[in-house]
Amino acid sequence: MTEGIIPLWAQAVVGVLVVAGAFIALLGALGLVRLQSYFERVHSPSIIATLGCWFIMHATILFFSMLEQRLTLHGLLIAMFIAVTVPITTIFLMRAALFRARRNGQNVPPAVSRVVSSEPAAHDDAEHGGNRY
């Protein structure tokens, strides 16, 4: 690995980006502590994973590109992986929390989907004259 000297302007930009990413992560962590319900708290890690992660990713790309004197995109791959997996994980966690809250009888929005029986209902035949198609 070739050791390079990073120019002062690049060091300043990397420093600002890292501090900005760390500040966003701090705000997200404070949101986890401060917000009351699970449904409110689930938004805080999303903020960290999107904005904070992208600040750090830009700092990483700039730092290693200047250090190795070629374009390095390792940080971009990590940020893309996080950007894809965090929303999916959040959706699954929210759905599980909604399911659990409904089973416990808590005041949450009703389910949009419903379970459809594979057996034909008797009142459907009467409403449609026996012709379902």
Side-chain angles (χ1 to χ4, degrees):
M1 181 172 140
T2 305
E3 289 191 29
I5 298 173
I6 300 173
L8 183 62
W9 67 267
Q11 292 178 13
V13 171
V14 167
V16 167
L17 289 172
V18 168
V19 169
F23 181 71
I24 296 296
L26 177 66
L27 288 178
L30 289 175
L32 280 175
V33 173
R34 183 158 168 79
L35 296 175
Q36 299 298 317
S37 72
Y38 173 79
F39 298 107
E40 293 171 340
R41 275 184 265 150
V42 77
H43 294 288
S44 296
S46 300
I47 293 170
I48 296 169
T50 53
L51 193 57
C53 177
W54 286 96
F55 275 126
I56 301 293
M57 183 266 306
H58 283 99
T60 303
I61 288 175
L62 181 61
F63 178 79
F64 285 109
S65 294
M66 297 302 286
L67 185 67
E68 297 181 6
Q69 298 176 350
R70 62 182 174 94
L71 184 62
T72 58
L73 298 175
H74 303 106
L76 181 63
L77 292 175
I78 295 169
M80 295 289 287
F81 177 74
I82 290 173
V84 169
T85 57
V86 166
I88 294 170
T89 305
T90 303
I91 288 170
F92 284 133
L93 289 172
M94 291 287 288
R95 289 180 64 99
L98 274 173
F99 178 76
R100 189 174 184 179
R102 286 186 188 120
R103 293 202 56 164
N104 289 336
Q106 296 176 356
N107 187 17
V108 293
V112 176
S113 62
R114 61 185 171 119
V115 177
V116 178
S117 174
S118 61
E119 299 294 324
H123 68 278
D124 285 346
D125 290 340
E127 289 176 1
H128 297 98
N131 187 6
R132 301 189 68 193
Y133 301 104

PDB file of all heavy atoms in Angstrom, residues 60-88:
ATOM      1  N   THR A  60     -15.356   8.505   4.003  1.00  0.00           N
ATOM      2  CA  THR A  60     -14.515   7.330   3.754  1.00  0.00           C
ATOM      3  C   THR A  60     -14.016   7.289   2.320  1.00  0.00           C
ATOM      4  O   THR A  60     -12.836   7.025   2.066  1.00  0.00           O
ATOM      5  CB  THR A  60     -15.323   6.049   4.073  1.00  0.00           C
ATOM      6  OG1 THR A  60     -15.784   6.107   5.412  1.00  0.00           O
ATOM      7  CG2 THR A  60     -14.486   4.821   3.863  1.00  0.00           C
ATOM      8  N   ILE A  61     -14.909   7.560   1.387  1.00  0.00           N
ATOM      9  CA  ILE A  61     -14.505   7.543  -0.025  1.00  0.00           C
ATOM     10  C   ILE A  61     -13.456   8.618  -0.286  1.00  0.00           C
ATOM     11  O   ILE A  61     -12.432   8.358  -0.941  1.00  0.00           O
ATOM     12  CB  ILE A  61     -15.743   7.732  -0.924  1.00  0.00           C
ATOM     13  CG1 ILE A  61     -16.593   6.471  -0.909  1.00  0.00           C
ATOM     14  CG2 ILE A  61     -15.321   8.069  -2.357  1.00  0.00           C
ATOM     15  CD1 ILE A  61     -17.897   6.601  -1.663  1.00  0.00           C
ATOM     16  N   LEU A  62     -13.658   9.808   0.233  1.00  0.00           N
ATOM     17  CA  LEU A  62     -12.696  10.890   0.016  1.00  0.00           C
ATOM     18  C   LEU A  62     -11.357  10.575   0.680  1.00  0.00           C
ATOM     19  O   LEU A  62     -10.294  10.734   0.059  1.00  0.00           O
ATOM     20  CB  LEU A  62     -13.256  12.209   0.553  1.00  0.00           C
ATOM     21  CG  LEU A  62     -12.343  13.429   0.374  1.00  0.00           C
ATOM     22  CD1 LEU A  62     -12.068  13.689  -1.095  1.00  0.00           C
ATOM     23  CD2 LEU A  62     -12.951  14.638   1.049  1.00  0.00           C
ATOM     24  N   PHE A  63     -11.400  10.079   1.911  1.00  0.00           N
ATOM     25  CA  PHE A  63     -10.157   9.797   2.635  1.00  0.00           C
ATOM     26  C   PHE A  63      -9.322   8.736   1.920  1.00  0.00           C
ATOM     27  O   PHE A  63      -8.138   8.933   1.654  1.00  0.00           O
ATOM     28  CB  PHE A  63     -10.476   9.363   4.068  1.00  0.00           C
ATOM     29  CG  PHE A  63      -9.257   9.004   4.860  1.00  0.00           C
ATOM     30  CD1 PHE A  63      -8.454   9.996   5.408  1.00  0.00           C
ATOM     31  CD2 PHE A  63      -8.901   7.676   5.054  1.00  0.00           C
ATOM     32  CE1 PHE A  63      -7.322   9.672   6.133  1.00  0.00           C
ATOM     33  CE2 PHE A  63      -7.772   7.347   5.784  1.00  0.00           C
ATOM     34  CZ  PHE A  63      -6.986   8.345   6.327  1.00  0.00           C
ATOM     35  N   PHE A  64      -9.936   7.600   1.620  1.00  0.00           N
ATOM     36  CA  PHE A  64      -9.155   6.518   1.016  1.00  0.00           C
ATOM     37  C   PHE A  64      -8.801   6.812  -0.433  1.00  0.00           C
ATOM     38  O   PHE A  64      -7.768   6.341  -0.926  1.00  0.00           O
ATOM     39  CB  PHE A  64      -9.893   5.189   1.156  1.00  0.00           C
ATOM     40  CG  PHE A  64      -9.829   4.649   2.551  1.00  0.00           C
ATOM     41  CD1 PHE A  64     -10.944   4.637   3.361  1.00  0.00           C
ATOM     42  CD2 PHE A  64      -8.633   4.169   3.066  1.00  0.00           C
ATOM     43  CE1 PHE A  64     -10.874   4.157   4.654  1.00  0.00           C
ATOM     44  CE2 PHE A  64      -8.549   3.695   4.357  1.00  0.00           C
ATOM     45  CZ  PHE A  64      -9.671   3.685   5.168  1.00  0.00           C
ATOM     46  N   SER A  65      -9.605   7.584  -1.134  1.00  0.00           N
ATOM     47  CA  SER A  65      -9.240   7.966  -2.498  1.00  0.00           C
ATOM     48  C   SER A  65      -8.024   8.889  -2.490  1.00  0.00           C
ATOM     49  O   SER A  65      -7.141   8.767  -3.342  1.00  0.00           O
ATOM     50  CB  SER A  65     -10.420   8.654  -3.185  1.00  0.00           C
ATOM     51  OG  SER A  65     -11.472   7.750  -3.365  1.00  0.00           O
ATOM     52  N   MET A  66      -7.984   9.802  -1.542  1.00  0.00           N
ATOM     53  CA  MET A  66      -6.825  10.698  -1.461  1.00  0.00           C
ATOM     54  C   MET A  66      -5.594   9.956  -0.938  1.00  0.00           C
ATOM     55  O   MET A  66      -4.483  10.210  -1.390  1.00  0.00           O
ATOM     56  CB  MET A  66      -7.133  11.889  -0.538  1.00  0.00           C
ATOM     57  CG  MET A  66      -8.250  12.778  -1.040  1.00  0.00           C
ATOM     58  SD  MET A  66      -7.949  13.457  -2.675  1.00  0.00           S
ATOM     59  CE  MET A  66      -6.724  14.683  -2.300  1.00  0.00           C
ATOM     60  N   LEU A  67      -5.793   9.029  -0.026  1.00  0.00           N
ATOM     61  CA  LEU A  67      -4.670   8.293   0.554  1.00  0.00           C
ATOM     62  C   LEU A  67      -4.024   7.378  -0.471  1.00  0.00           C
ATOM     63  O   LEU A  67      -2.798   7.310  -0.579  1.00  0.00           O
ATOM     64  CB  LEU A  67      -5.145   7.491   1.767  1.00  0.00           C
ATOM     65  CG  LEU A  67      -4.071   6.757   2.554  1.00  0.00           C
ATOM     66  CD1 LEU A  67      -3.147   7.763   3.240  1.00  0.00           C
ATOM     67  CD2 LEU A  67      -4.707   5.847   3.586  1.00  0.00           C
ATOM     68  N   GLU A  68      -4.835   6.657  -1.231  1.00  0.00           N
ATOM     69  CA  GLU A  68      -4.301   5.702  -2.203  1.00  0.00           C
ATOM     70  C   GLU A  68      -4.160   6.305  -3.588  1.00  0.00           C
ATOM     71  O   GLU A  68      -3.734   5.615  -4.516  1.00  0.00           O
ATOM     72  CB  GLU A  68      -5.198   4.463  -2.248  1.00  0.00           C
ATOM     73  CG  GLU A  68      -5.226   3.716  -0.920  1.00  0.00           C
ATOM     74  CD  GLU A  68      -6.092   2.486  -0.963  1.00  0.00           C
ATOM     75  OE1 GLU A  68      -6.595   2.127  -2.058  1.00  0.00           O
ATOM     76  OE2 GLU A  68      -6.285   1.871   0.096  1.00  0.00           O
ATOM     77  N   GLN A  69      -4.555   7.536  -3.762  1.00  0.00           N
ATOM     78  CA  GLN A  69      -4.435   8.279  -5.022  1.00  0.00           C
ATOM     79  C   GLN A  69      -5.125   7.569  -6.176  1.00  0.00           C
ATOM     80  O   GLN A  69      -4.627   7.523  -7.301  1.00  0.00           O
ATOM     81  CB  GLN A  69      -2.968   8.544  -5.344  1.00  0.00           C
ATOM     82  CG  GLN A  69      -2.326   9.400  -4.273  1.00  0.00           C
ATOM     83  CD  GLN A  69      -0.851   9.623  -4.499  1.00  0.00           C
ATOM     84  OE1 GLN A  69      -0.252   9.003  -5.358  1.00  0.00           O
ATOM     85  NE2 GLN A  69      -0.274  10.522  -3.729  1.00  0.00           N
ATOM     86  N   ARG A  70      -6.256   6.952  -5.888  1.00  0.00           N
ATOM     87  CA  ARG A  70      -7.147   6.367  -6.892  1.00  0.00           C
ATOM     88  C   ARG A  70      -8.539   6.303  -6.263  1.00  0.00           C
ATOM     89  O   ARG A  70      -8.692   6.396  -5.048  1.00  0.00           O
ATOM     90  CB  ARG A  70      -6.689   4.971  -7.316  1.00  0.00           C
ATOM     91  CG  ARG A  70      -6.686   3.971  -6.198  1.00  0.00           C
ATOM     92  CD  ARG A  70      -6.161   2.614  -6.683  1.00  0.00           C
ATOM     93  NE  ARG A  70      -6.028   1.704  -5.562  1.00  0.00           N
ATOM     94  CZ  ARG A  70      -6.962   0.834  -5.191  1.00  0.00           C
ATOM     95  NH1 ARG A  70      -8.077   0.743  -5.867  1.00  0.00           N
ATOM     96  NH2 ARG A  70      -6.782   0.043  -4.161  1.00  0.00           N
ATOM     97  N   LEU A  71      -9.543   6.138  -7.103  1.00  0.00           N
ATOM     98  CA  LEU A  71     -10.916   6.119  -6.611  1.00  0.00           C
ATOM     99  C   LEU A  71     -11.195   4.802  -5.885  1.00  0.00           C
ATOM    100  O   LEU A  71     -11.030   3.726  -6.463  1.00  0.00           O
ATOM    101  CB  LEU A  71     -11.903   6.300  -7.761  1.00  0.00           C
ATOM    102  CG  LEU A  71     -13.371   6.399  -7.377  1.00  0.00           C
ATOM    103  CD1 LEU A  71     -13.614   7.616  -6.491  1.00  0.00           C
ATOM    104  CD2 LEU A  71     -14.237   6.471  -8.624  1.00  0.00           C
ATOM    105  N   THR A  72     -11.576   4.879  -4.645  1.00  0.00           N
ATOM    106  CA  THR A  72     -11.948   3.682  -3.872  1.00  0.00           C
ATOM    107  C   THR A  72     -13.404   3.817  -3.458  1.00  0.00           C
ATOM    108  O   THR A  72     -13.821   4.834  -2.923  1.00  0.00           O
ATOM    109  CB  THR A  72     -11.076   3.524  -2.617  1.00  0.00           C
ATOM    110  OG1 THR A  72     -11.202   4.690  -1.826  1.00  0.00           O
ATOM    111  CG2 THR A  72      -9.618   3.308  -2.982  1.00  0.00           C
ATOM    112  N   LEU A  73     -14.167   2.779  -3.740  1.00  0.00           N
ATOM    113  CA  LEU A  73     -15.613   2.823  -3.501  1.00  0.00           C
ATOM    114  C   LEU A  73     -16.071   1.762  -2.503  1.00  0.00           C
ATOM    115  O   LEU A  73     -17.226   1.353  -2.517  1.00  0.00           O
ATOM    116  CB  LEU A  73     -16.358   2.647  -4.825  1.00  0.00           C
ATOM    117  CG  LEU A  73     -16.092   3.729  -5.865  1.00  0.00           C
ATOM    118  CD1 LEU A  73     -16.782   3.400  -7.167  1.00  0.00           C
ATOM    119  CD2 LEU A  73     -16.531   5.080  -5.344  1.00  0.00           C
ATOM    120  N   HIS A  74     -15.189   1.335  -1.619  1.00  0.00           N
ATOM    121  CA  HIS A  74     -15.585   0.322  -0.632  1.00  0.00           C
ATOM    122  C   HIS A  74     -16.687   0.840   0.278  1.00  0.00           C
ATOM    123  O   HIS A  74     -17.616   0.116   0.615  1.00  0.00           O
ATOM    124  CB  HIS A  74     -14.376  -0.089   0.214  1.00  0.00           C
ATOM    125  CG  HIS A  74     -13.238  -0.600  -0.597  1.00  0.00           C
ATOM    126  ND1 HIS A  74     -12.102   0.134  -0.821  1.00  0.00           N
ATOM    127  CD2 HIS A  74     -13.078  -1.755  -1.265  1.00  0.00           C
ATOM    128  CE1 HIS A  74     -11.283  -0.552  -1.570  1.00  0.00           C
ATOM    129  NE2 HIS A  74     -11.853  -1.709  -1.860  1.00  0.00           N
ATOM    130  N   GLY A  75     -16.574   2.087   0.669  1.00  0.00           N
ATOM    131  CA  GLY A  75     -17.577   2.676   1.545  1.00  0.00           C
ATOM    132  C   GLY A  75     -18.945   2.754   0.889  1.00  0.00           C
ATOM    133  O   GLY A  75     -19.977   2.615   1.558  1.00  0.00           O
ATOM    134  N   LEU A  76     -18.955   2.953  -0.428  1.00  0.00           N
ATOM    135  CA  LEU A  76     -20.227   3.021  -1.147  1.00  0.00           C
ATOM    136  C   LEU A  76     -20.964   1.688  -1.095  1.00  0.00           C
ATOM    137  O   LEU A  76     -22.179   1.647  -0.944  1.00  0.00           O
ATOM    138  CB  LEU A  76     -19.985   3.445  -2.603  1.00  0.00           C
ATOM    139  CG  LEU A  76     -21.229   3.583  -3.463  1.00  0.00           C
ATOM    140  CD1 LEU A  76     -22.125   4.684  -2.926  1.00  0.00           C
ATOM    141  CD2 LEU A  76     -20.859   3.857  -4.901  1.00  0.00           C
ATOM    142  N   LEU A  77     -20.226   0.592  -1.206  1.00  0.00           N
ATOM    143  CA  LEU A  77     -20.856  -0.732  -1.133  1.00  0.00           C
ATOM    144  C   LEU A  77     -21.488  -0.959   0.235  1.00  0.00           C
ATOM    145  O   LEU A  77     -22.600  -1.489   0.340  1.00  0.00           O
ATOM    146  CB  LEU A  77     -19.827  -1.827  -1.434  1.00  0.00           C
ATOM    147  CG  LEU A  77     -19.321  -1.871  -2.862  1.00  0.00           C
ATOM    148  CD1 LEU A  77     -18.220  -2.905  -2.999  1.00  0.00           C
ATOM    149  CD2 LEU A  77     -20.448  -2.188  -3.817  1.00  0.00           C
ATOM    150  N   ILE A  78     -20.794  -0.569   1.277  1.00  0.00           N
ATOM    151  CA  ILE A  78     -21.340  -0.731   2.627  1.00  0.00           C
ATOM    152  C   ILE A  78     -22.591   0.128   2.802  1.00  0.00           C
ATOM    153  O   ILE A  78     -23.614  -0.329   3.330  1.00  0.00           O
ATOM    154  CB  ILE A  78     -20.270  -0.388   3.677  1.00  0.00           C
ATOM    155  CG1 ILE A  78     -19.124  -1.385   3.589  1.00  0.00           C
ATOM    156  CG2 ILE A  78     -20.866  -0.368   5.078  1.00  0.00           C
ATOM    157  CD1 ILE A  78     -17.912  -0.999   4.393  1.00  0.00           C
ATOM    158  N   ALA A  79     -22.527   1.376   2.344  1.00  0.00           N
ATOM    159  CA  ALA A  79     -23.687   2.265   2.479  1.00  0.00           C
ATOM    160  C   ALA A  79     -24.876   1.752   1.659  1.00  0.00           C
ATOM    161  O   ALA A  79     -26.024   1.845   2.100  1.00  0.00           O
ATOM    162  CB  ALA A  79     -23.306   3.676   2.048  1.00  0.00           C
ATOM    163  N   MET A  80     -24.607   1.212   0.478  1.00  0.00           N
ATOM    164  CA  MET A  80     -25.699   0.663  -0.336  1.00  0.00           C
ATOM    165  C   MET A  80     -26.339  -0.535   0.364  1.00  0.00           C
ATOM    166  O   MET A  80     -27.563  -0.681   0.363  1.00  0.00           O
ATOM    167  CB  MET A  80     -25.178   0.245  -1.712  1.00  0.00           C
ATOM    168  CG  MET A  80     -24.690   1.396  -2.554  1.00  0.00           C
ATOM    169  SD  MET A  80     -26.010   2.442  -3.139  1.00  0.00           S
ATOM    170  CE  MET A  80     -26.719   1.411  -4.367  1.00  0.00           C
ATOM    171  N   PHE A  81     -25.528  -1.388   0.967  1.00  0.00           N
ATOM    172  CA  PHE A  81     -26.062  -2.540   1.694  1.00  0.00           C
ATOM    173  C   PHE A  81     -26.939  -2.077   2.858  1.00  0.00           C
ATOM    174  O   PHE A  81     -28.036  -2.612   3.072  1.00  0.00           O
ATOM    175  CB  PHE A  81     -24.919  -3.420   2.197  1.00  0.00           C
ATOM    176  CG  PHE A  81     -25.373  -4.590   3.006  1.00  0.00           C
ATOM    177  CD1 PHE A  81     -25.964  -5.682   2.392  1.00  0.00           C
ATOM    178  CD2 PHE A  81     -25.231  -4.596   4.381  1.00  0.00           C
ATOM    179  CE1 PHE A  81     -26.391  -6.760   3.131  1.00  0.00           C
ATOM    180  CE2 PHE A  81     -25.663  -5.661   5.132  1.00  0.00           C
ATOM    181  CZ  PHE A  81     -26.242  -6.755   4.507  1.00  0.00           C
ATOM    182  N   ILE A  82     -26.472  -1.082   3.580  1.00  0.00           N
ATOM    183  CA  ILE A  82     -27.266  -0.570   4.706  1.00  0.00           C
ATOM    184  C   ILE A  82     -28.544   0.092   4.201  1.00  0.00           C
ATOM    185  O   ILE A  82     -29.621  -0.083   4.776  1.00  0.00           O
ATOM    186  CB  ILE A  82     -26.414   0.407   5.544  1.00  0.00           C
ATOM    187  CG1 ILE A  82     -25.329  -0.375   6.279  1.00  0.00           C
ATOM    188  CG2 ILE A  82     -27.266   1.189   6.526  1.00  0.00           C
ATOM    189  CD1 ILE A  82     -24.335   0.486   6.993  1.00  0.00           C
ATOM    190  N   ALA A  83     -28.454   0.838   3.105  1.00  0.00           N
ATOM    191  CA  ALA A  83     -29.635   1.519   2.562  1.00  0.00           C
ATOM    192  C   ALA A  83     -30.694   0.533   2.088  1.00  0.00           C
ATOM    193  O   ALA A  83     -31.883   0.836   2.109  1.00  0.00           O
ATOM    194  CB  ALA A  83     -29.222   2.446   1.424  1.00  0.00           C
ATOM    195  N   VAL A  84     -30.269  -0.648   1.673  1.00  0.00           N
ATOM    196  CA  VAL A  84     -31.234  -1.652   1.208  1.00  0.00           C
ATOM    197  C   VAL A  84     -31.810  -2.434   2.382  1.00  0.00           C
ATOM    198  O   VAL A  84     -33.012  -2.714   2.432  1.00  0.00           O
ATOM    199  CB  VAL A  84     -30.565  -2.607   0.189  1.00  0.00           C
ATOM    200  CG1 VAL A  84     -31.445  -3.802  -0.107  1.00  0.00           C
ATOM    201  CG2 VAL A  84     -30.252  -1.858  -1.088  1.00  0.00           C
ATOM    202  N   THR A  85     -30.994  -2.796   3.347  1.00  0.00           N
ATOM    203  CA  THR A  85     -31.445  -3.691   4.411  1.00  0.00           C
ATOM    204  C   THR A  85     -32.205  -2.983   5.536  1.00  0.00           C
ATOM    205  O   THR A  85     -33.088  -3.595   6.135  1.00  0.00           O
ATOM    206  CB  THR A  85     -30.253  -4.446   5.026  1.00  0.00           C
ATOM    207  OG1 THR A  85     -29.292  -3.499   5.498  1.00  0.00           O
ATOM    208  CG2 THR A  85     -29.623  -5.359   4.003  1.00  0.00           C
ATOM    209  N   VAL A  86     -31.891  -1.753   5.828  1.00  0.00           N
ATOM    210  CA  VAL A  86     -32.545  -1.071   6.952  1.00  0.00           C
ATOM    211  C   VAL A  86     -34.051  -0.888   6.731  1.00  0.00           C
ATOM    212  O   VAL A  86     -34.843  -1.203   7.629  1.00  0.00           O
ATOM    213  CB  VAL A  86     -31.848   0.269   7.268  1.00  0.00           C
ATOM    214  CG1 VAL A  86     -32.694   1.142   8.170  1.00  0.00           C
ATOM    215  CG2 VAL A  86     -30.511   0.009   7.913  1.00  0.00           C
ATOM    216  N   PRO A  87     -34.516  -0.419   5.582  1.00  0.00           N
ATOM    217  CA  PRO A  87     -35.972  -0.296   5.416  1.00  0.00           C
ATOM    218  C   PRO A  87     -36.691  -1.638   5.487  1.00  0.00           C
ATOM    219  O   PRO A  87     -37.785  -1.727   6.055  1.00  0.00           O
ATOM    220  CB  PRO A  87     -36.138   0.339   4.032  1.00  0.00           C
ATOM    221  CG  PRO A  87     -34.848   0.987   3.744  1.00  0.00           C
ATOM    222  CD  PRO A  87     -33.812   0.165   4.448  1.00  0.00           C
ATOM    223  N   ILE A  88     -36.087  -2.678   4.964  1.00  0.00           N
ATOM    224  CA  ILE A  88     -36.728  -3.998   4.999  1.00  0.00           C
ATOM    225  C   ILE A  88     -36.826  -4.483   6.442  1.00  0.00           C
ATOM    226  O   ILE A  88     -37.878  -4.974   6.885  1.00  0.00           O
ATOM    227  CB  ILE A  88     -35.941  -4.990   4.118  1.00  0.00           C
ATOM    228  CG1 ILE A  88     -36.035  -4.560   2.662  1.00  0.00           C
ATOM    229  CG2 ILE A  88     -36.448  -6.403   4.305  1.00  0.00           C
ATOM    230  CD1 ILE A  88     -35.107  -5.304   1.739  1.00  0.00           C
TER     231      ILE A  88
END
